[in-house]
Amino acid sequence: MNTSQSSWSRTAADTFAVLARWLLGAVFLYMGLNKALHPVEFLKLVRQYDLVQSSLLLNSIAAALPWFEIFCGLLLLAGVAVRGTAVMLIVMLVPFTVLVFRRALAIQSALAIPFCAVKFDCGCGNGEVFICRKLLENFLFIVFSGWLLAGYGRNLCVRHTLMSCAAKTSLTEEGGSNGSI
């Protein structure tokens, strides 16, 4: 009975991880395409965050970010370099979530409305969204990315990591790495 339950729970966890990987991939592909197809609107939204003063840097961020999201989405859908892609999603999502939270706090204090009533276009590609929903969504994306980073979601992958075990072993034997690639 224990073997049957653990096998079932392992299968359920693997299935859920694959679905989470595909969901993240599809969401980032959609959001990236939406931004890439509407670059002027996305540039205006990025400008509202007052991240950088240089117009060259601002334009570079607005031009590169959508294509990077598309690339990450495609990698997740295909199951290539899943752990590395999960790291990149976390690196993008955490600061973006902090920026969205700070902007929502500024809007809330300026308009003197309840925090969850704050609604604005955060630049994610979905138009205007209520902030509490967006923060919850980003939190779930970060959790899913962390789950993929932990090694779940290996089923139906073309290649889960960039380097094979044989390459890791040869690097370790040559003294070039400690095997933690």
Side-chain angles (χ1 to χ4, degrees):
M1 176 114 171
N2 267 346
T3 307
S4 170
Q5 283 181 335
S6 66
S7 174
W8 182 86
S9 65
R10 198 174 318 119
T11 302
D14 288 341
T15 301
F16 185 73
V18 169
L19 293 175
R21 189 185 86 221
W22 287 346
L23 173 71
L24 276 174
V27 165
F28 273 85
L29 182 63
Y30 168 78
M31 289 190 306
L33 283 172
N34 197 6
K35 293 171 194 172
L37 294 175
H38 305 100
V40 175
E41 290 84 3
F42 182 59
L43 176 62
K44 290 176 184 177
L45 291 170
V46 172
R47 186 178 296 136
Q48 291 177 2
Y49 285 97
D50 290 327
L51 293 174
V52 292
Q53 301 305 319
S54 167
S55 61
L56 177 63
L57 189 55
L58 182 69
N59 287 330
S60 298
I61 291 169
L65 188 61
W67 296 105
F68 188 70
E69 289 180 356
I70 291 168
F71 183 65
C72 287
L74 290 173
L75 287 175
L76 286 177
L77 288 173
V80 176
V82 173
R83 293 177 75 192
T85 305
V87 168
M88 295 313 302
L89 293 183
I90 291 170
V91 166
M92 283 191 302
L93 283 167
V94 170
F96 175 70
T97 303
V98 170
L99 286 172
V100 168
F101 179 72
R102 289 179 58 196
R103 183 158 182 240
L105 283 176
I107 292 171
Q108 180 217 8
S109 66
L111 299 178
I113 58 175
F115 184 73
C116 287
V118 173
K119 182 179 182 179
F120 65 93
D121 190 346
C122 62
C124 61
N126 292 330
E128 285 193 357
V129 293
F130 285 105
I131 191 60
C132 287
R133 180 186 164 275
K134 184 62 189 172
L135 291 175
L136 177 63
E137 178 182 290
N138 282 7
F139 175 74
L140 288 175
F141 290 162
I142 291 168
V143 168
F144 288 165
S145 297
W147 201 24
L148 294 175
L149 179 60
Y152 294 95
R154 293 177 187 258
N155 291 348
L156 303 175
C157 279
V158 172
R159 186 171 196 137
H160 194 263
T161 57
L162 285 179
M163 297 187 74
S164 67
C165 290
K168 289 180 190 179
T169 304
S170 69
L171 282 175
T172 304
E173 290 171 358
E174 293 172 7
S177 173
N178 63 3
S180 61
I181 297 173

